[in-house]
Amino acid sequence: MALKLNVPSIVCDGCAQTITESINTMEPDAQVNVDVKAKTVTVESEASEETIKQAIVAAGHTVEGYQAG
């Protein structure tokens, strides 16, 4: 399943690395592509959308339209 999320808090390649590592910690087989300029994260994974969003939030970032509950 390919999932594309808007992550407005991405500002640099360091952010991209942090997000990628966080997702890969929760889902080691995930293919993660972070576009710093577009502020998007595209994930190819078997994990649920909720799991991926939680991983991004756990990395200290915000996902547009998502409130951690």
Side-chain angles (χ1 to χ4, degrees):
M1 168 188 87
L3 176 64
K4 186 172 184 178
L5 301 167
N6 291 322
V7 184
S9 57
I10 296 172
V11 294
C12 65
D13 289 335
C15 297
Q17 186 65 31
T18 301
I19 290 169
T20 301
E21 288 173 1
S22 183
I23 292 170
N24 285 144
T25 297
M26 292 179 116
E27 183 63 37
D29 296 331
Q31 302 279 333
V32 183
N33 181 18
V34 180
D35 185 329
V36 176
K37 287 183 180 151
K39 299 185 183 293
T40 60
V41 178
T42 306
V43 182
E44 187 76 42
S45 172
E46 297 300 315
S48 70
E49 181 175 343
E50 180 72 15
T51 299
I52 299 303
K53 287 179 178 178
Q54 287 176 356
I56 294 170
V57 170
H61 289 274
T62 56
V63 177
E64 194 170 282
Y66 175 72
Q67 296 293 320

